[in-house]
Amino acid sequence: MTDALVFDQVRIVLAGRALIALDRKISPGEVLTVMGPSGIGKSTLLAYAAGFLDPAFSAQGRVLSGPLDLTRLPPHRRRLGLLFQDPLLFPHMNVGENIAFALPADLRGRERRGAAVAAALADVDLAGFEARDPATLSGGQKARVALMRVLESRPRALLLDEPFSRLDAALRDQIRRLVFDKARARGLPVLLVTHDRADAEAAAGPVLDFGSPSAADQPAASAASDCSRP
Amino acid sequence: MLKLAPALTLTLMLGPVAAGLFGTLLPAAGYVPALGGTAMSREPLRLLLGQPGIGQSALLSLGTGLAATLGAFTVVVLFTAAFEGSRFFRLLRRLLSPLMAVPHAAAAFGLAFLIAPSGFVMRLLSPWATGLQRPPDLLIVGDPLGLTMTLGLMAKEIPFLFLMLLAALPQADPLRSQRVAASLGYAPVAGWLTTVLPRVYPQIRLPVFAVLAYATSVVDVALILGPTTPPPLAVRLTGWMNDPDLSLRFMASAGALAQLGLSLFAILLWICGERLAAMLGRRWIEGGRRSAAERLIPALSGSAMALLATAMLAGLALLALWSLAGPWRFPDTLPHHLTLRAWMVHGPAAGDAIATTLAIALPVIAVAIALALACLENETRDGRPVQHRSLPLLYLPLIVPQIAFLFGLQILFLMAGLHDTLLAVALGHMVFVLPYVFLALSDPWRAVDPRYGHMASALGASPARSFWRVRLPLARKAVATAAALGFAVSVAQYLPTLLIGGGRVSTVTTEAVALAAGGNRQLIGLYGLLQMLLPFAAFLLAAAIPGVAHRRRADGEAAA
């Protein structure tokens, strides 16, 4: 079982102006949705957790996985699985290589790694797609490869940055369900950042809405405590 | 290690410039104990000013340099204003891009073969139109005012400035600017000049200064196309510096400082011109005039651009033809027959020159690419671009006239016992290769979506693995192109090779320029062609490296 993902008094500041703040725990298998208009630092919050804070911003607080303080680790040791709006499959690798790149190095042997890649692809109905160039995939196929890639890196948690917004409506529902099902099946804590209400509903977890009028006035201090705690 | 990359790069790039300027200053003031100068004196300067025709040489350098830069700049800007977005524009863009890689000397030889009294144009016209059976007694190449030299410099700088302008254009949003201007009633040229030019000019200003500094201090083109009675300043300085009489070096060093002053003065004049243009431009904008010679400008700039591009291409074709020519008497349009004789006789010597050229260029570009990548990777890991502070520093070696610091550098290498070695020449080339490699690499590197790297880290890849497996492969096309450009720059270096190599390091370029004084056109054609083919081969190799966007589909059949 995985550990909970804890945001311990995390605050994002841009040029002295407090943006978003988050102080809570996301249990394994739970999806916490953060909503709000653009510009309040939702994506920056994810970037801070993953270790890619733009130097224009500053941030305080810790992000923990169980007892482990991730903020003290370099980005590549945090193992927080990121999914963006774009699938960002590496264009110079084929589909199989994209997934193999994510497999932990301690899984050894060409055959075993190949089998793991094949199983991952089969898991999302893409069996036999190893040699395909990502550029030849449809939007839904890319999204599925991106999902399996992040899961095969055995992340401690998932950080989703509006990952469904570029998909068309029919596909969006399907991929959304797939992502949440897989995350729950693996007991991963998930932080979802979105401005699509339907995302929040599909996530079926707690929602922090930083767009509500009371929160918009003083986003930093009050928003997190205002919102629905389970 | 990575943290040291920027400092190391700047040291390799600017160290020789600074040390060289210092090394020029000492002998200019009369102080070089090794050559018997132990006291500071104004003697070198006095000697310099006493040289016959020295003022004329200086004026020639200033005049040809300013005229060539202004001419190239005007043609490029007006052409772009008149034709941007048209099919003609795209055609010239395709024609001119590869010409940037042609070394100055090869372009100058090509032009000479085209327009000399016994050149191709005269042959085409003779005897039916001119009645000439012998080449006319005209001083077309080497005319005392340096007009042909100016033309040659213009033709060679136009592709460079054009590409610089093209690289800067997207940031000025030219299409929409021009549409807005058009909707306000501005004719195309007027709209471009008032809304796009003011925004792109700041970005091509440093390249323009580099052209100005180069054109006012050029040696190789001047040796091939320039006047000899007297020659431009830099040519005379080079002669003194290579003179067996070492005492001439004091005067040469004083002259090198004068050359530095002259090139800086040219830049100062240009800056005054900028002010004037800005003032006139403001007045234009306030006055709201809607058109700017909308017929004349396209006609003139279009034909100038087409003519110069044709002349360059024809000249380069003539180099190839001459290298294969059997007897080719005036006024025959074509050689009597073609022969491989020149290649057979001079092939082995040319092979040595190619080997030396490669022995210098390949290590230099390997180091330059590694340093540029290390700087950029360091910047990526820091997450802070250093671009804006360091850009003028990158251009510094291109804006200080070569001759001003190469003299000093030669003397310093002499004192260090490194003179005439390939290592010293390579260090000299590095000064000029690094800025170009860095400039060519940095924009594509920074254009790669940073989220790819973030994604790799989030998937557990260490910084080194992210670099080797993700960031570097995504930029491999740019790396290959930058390497080819660096190679072209190294191949084209004349003065650094000549001065630092003490005349003992022979590359295809030094060999070619050395042939200028003699009349063996087959041999000139051969070396000129080699000078051109080496960079072309490098760019062809770079073009063969697949870019990420063009990756072949791994299994088209299975995909169906």
Side-chain angles (χ1 to χ4, degrees):
Chain A
M1 199 58 190
T2 46
D3 287 310
L5 185 67
V6 180
F7 283 78
D8 178 16
Q9 308 206 351
V10 172
R11 294 160 194 282
I12 306 289
V13 177
L14 173 63
R17 193 164 57 91
L19 298 176
I20 205 165
L22 188 62
D23 181 30
R24 61 164 296 158
K25 174 177 150 185
I26 308 169
S27 309
E30 183 186 30
V31 181
L32 172 68
T33 306
V34 169
M35 294 196 62
S38 48
I40 62 160
K42 302 188 302 285
S43 298
T44 313
L45 186 67
L46 295 196
Y48 175 63
F52 309 118
L53 191 68
D54 188 294
F57 296 87
S58 59
Q60 305 160 358
R62 300 185 302 163
V63 180
L64 303 113
S65 172
L68 179 66
D69 183 357
L70 298 178
T71 24
R72 303 174 70 120
L73 294 177
H76 66 282
R77 297 211 191 287
R78 297 189 186 187
R79 291 191 14 234
L80 290 176
L82 279 171
L83 280 180
F84 295 100
Q85 286 176 356
D86 306 299
L88 293 174
L89 298 179
F90 299 126
H92 58 293
M93 302 179 188
N94 64 29
V95 168
E97 287 165 346
N98 262 286
I99 292 187
F101 182 81
L103 287 175
D106 57 18
L107 179 66
R108 291 183 193 280
R110 270 180 68 90
E111 268 173 39
R112 290 178 63 198
R113 291 181 72 87
V117 170
L121 287 174
D123 199 10
V124 286
D125 298 329
L126 293 173
F129 271 58
E130 280 89 342
R132 288 279 292 270
D133 180 345
T136 67
L137 300 186
S138 72
Q141 290 170 333
K142 283 182 195 167
R144 281 183 276 159
V145 175
L147 171 65
M148 287 322 288
R149 181 174 67 171
V150 86
L151 291 176
E152 287 307 314
S153 73
R154 295 196 205 142
R156 301 180 215 268
L158 284 188
L159 304 175
L160 310 181
D161 191 355
E162 308 204 20
F164 315 117
S165 60
R166 291 274 169 89
L167 299 168
D168 55 54
L171 207 54
R172 194 177 302 160
D173 215 34
Q174 182 200 338
I175 299 291
R176 208 150 40 195
R177 219 168 322 124
L178 185 68
V179 171
F180 295 140
D181 286 351
K182 296 268 180 228
R184 245 174 235 128
R186 294 180 188 227
L188 293 173
V190 178
L191 177 59
L192 167 67
V193 153
T194 184
H195 56 242
D196 182 351
R197 176 80 42 198
D199 283 353
E201 283 161 14
V207 177
L208 294 179
D209 191 345
F210 289 83
S212 59
S214 61
D217 292 353
Q218 306 163 291
S222 59
S225 49
D226 260 1
C227 291
S228 55
R229 272 178 191 254
Chain B
M1 265 314 281
L2 216 49
K3 297 269 169 221
L4 295 177
L8 188 60
T9 307
L10 286 180
T11 309
L12 272 177
M13 207 168 67
L14 301 182
V17 179
L21 281 176
F22 183 67
T24 306
L25 199 61
L26 285 183
Y31 184 83
V32 176
L35 296 181
T38 48
M40 299 295 209
S41 81
R42 269 178 292 176
E43 186 65 11
L45 186 64
R46 205 186 55 77
L47 269 174
L48 175 75
L49 295 179
Q51 291 294 312
I54 194 75
Q56 205 182 335
S57 290
L59 269 181
L60 204 54
S61 292
L62 190 65
T64 51
L66 274 171
T69 310
L70 187 62
F73 177 80
T74 310
V75 169
V76 164
V77 163
L78 292 183
F79 175 76
T80 310
F83 291 100
E84 202 203 344
S86 72
R87 195 175 293 170
F88 184 42
F89 188 80
R90 283 197 295 274
L91 172 75
L92 272 170
R93 178 183 188 153
R94 268 206 296 277
L95 281 179
L96 288 178
S97 304
L99 289 184
M100 190 184 139
V102 176
H104 280 83
F109 277 126
L111 191 66
F113 282 176
L114 188 68
I115 65 170
S118 60
F120 190 69
V121 170
M122 202 61 88
R123 288 167 190 266
L124 276 182
L125 297 174
S126 304
W128 60 274
T130 61
L132 293 169
Q133 290 298 335
R134 290 193 303 131
D137 192 14
L138 292 172
L139 204 56
I140 295 179
V141 169
D143 63 288
L145 286 177
L147 295 179
T148 305
M149 173 183 161
T150 306
L151 199 66
L153 283 170
M154 240 178 95
K156 181 61 189 82
E157 298 305 351
I158 278 178
F160 175 69
L161 287 178
F162 189 52
L163 289 188
M164 289 292 155
L165 183 63
L166 286 176
L169 267 182
Q171 293 166 53
D173 201 2
L175 269 177
R176 287 198 294 174
S177 301
Q178 217 166 358
R179 270 183 210 149
V180 171
S183 73
L184 298 173
Y186 282 82
V189 176
W192 197 93
L193 290 177
T194 47
T195 65
V196 183
L197 181 62
R199 285 201 276 170
V200 287
Y201 181 71
Q203 298 185 56
I204 58 167
R205 192 170 183 235
L206 287 173
V208 168
F209 287 176
V211 168
L212 201 50
Y214 181 84
T216 48
S217 65
V218 66
V219 174
D220 49 2
V221 176
L223 281 173
I224 297 163
L225 296 177
T228 49
T229 52
L233 184 60
V235 174
R236 299 181 78 175
L237 300 180
T238 310
W240 296 333
M241 203 63 188
N242 278 334
D243 200 287
D245 180 358
L246 293 180
S247 65
L248 284 181
R249 297 199 175 191
F250 292 101
M251 182 171 75
S253 296
L257 288 185
Q259 176 69 62
L260 176 64
L262 187 145
S263 294
L264 292 180
F265 179 64
I267 291 176
L268 188 72
L269 283 180
W270 188 273
I271 292 173
C272 293
E274 283 175 353
R275 293 272 158 86
L276 187 69
M279 201 183 78
L280 293 175
R282 278 226 172 74
R283 206 171 282 177
W284 179 0
I285 288 169
E286 282 161 16
R289 199 156 57 84
R290 297 297 201 261
S291 63
E294 299 287 335
R295 274 160 203 247
L296 191 66
I297 287 178
L300 286 183
S301 65
S303 42
M305 200 76 164
L307 198 67
L308 284 168
T310 314
M312 282 271 279
L313 290 171
L316 298 175
L318 283 173
L319 289 178
L321 190 57
W322 265 109
S323 78
L324 295 169
W328 191 359
R329 286 185 196 87
F330 193 85
D332 298 347
T333 311
L334 291 173
H336 182 262
H337 61 264
L338 296 181
T339 165
L340 284 172
R341 208 178 145 266
W343 289 92
M344 310 280 265
V345 174
H346 302 288
D352 289 349
I354 293 177
T356 309
T357 308
L358 295 179
I360 297 168
L362 295 182
V364 166
I365 52 173
V367 173
I369 291 278
L371 281 173
L373 281 174
C375 287
L376 290 167
E377 174 67 8
N378 182 48
E379 174 189 308
T380 304
R381 290 189 194 176
D382 276 3
R384 285 167 214 275
V386 284
Q387 162 95 40
H388 294 289
R389 245 179 322 133
S390 65
L391 195 61
L393 288 182
L394 275 178
Y395 272 97
L396 198 65
L398 310 180
I399 287 176
V400 175
Q402 296 187 351
I403 210 166
F405 66 92
L406 285 176
F407 276 18
L409 207 53
Q410 185 193 27
I411 290 171
L412 292 180
F413 279 132
L414 203 71
M415 295 190 330
L418 277 175
H419 57 101
D420 308 354
T421 61
L422 282 185
L423 175 66
V425 175
L427 284 172
H429 281 207
M430 187 67 80
V431 173
F432 304 101
V433 170
L434 260 177
Y436 282 107
V437 165
F438 205 98
L439 289 170
L441 202 50
S442 52
D443 278 348
W445 180 271
R446 292 177 182 128
V448 172
D449 191 334
R451 291 178 306 168
Y452 281 118
H454 294 172
M455 184 60 94
S457 297
L459 293 174
S462 66
R465 186 165 147 87
S466 294
F467 171 76
W468 290 108
R469 292 288 308 277
V470 175
R471 278 195 288 271
L472 185 60
L474 284 176
R476 67 186 163 199
K477 185 96 187 162
V479 170
T481 309
L485 180 65
F487 183 73
V489 170
S490 173
V491 168
Q493 293 306 318
Y494 172 67
L495 209 53
T497 318
L498 179 78
L499 288 181
I500 298 178
R504 268 173 238 172
V505 174
S506 297
T507 64
V508 288
T509 294
T510 57
E511 286 296 299
V513 178
L515 294 167
N520 189 337
R521 293 190 167 192
Q522 276 84 355
L523 201 50
I524 290 175
L526 190 153
Y527 276 97
L529 191 64
L530 284 180
Q531 260 200 308
M532 183 173 77
L533 288 180
L534 285 177
F536 274 1
F539 277 100
L540 272 183
L541 277 179
I545 301 225
V548 164
H550 307 294
R551 183 189 155 89
R552 259 182 305 143
R553 300 183 174 185
D555 58 345
E557 321 83 67

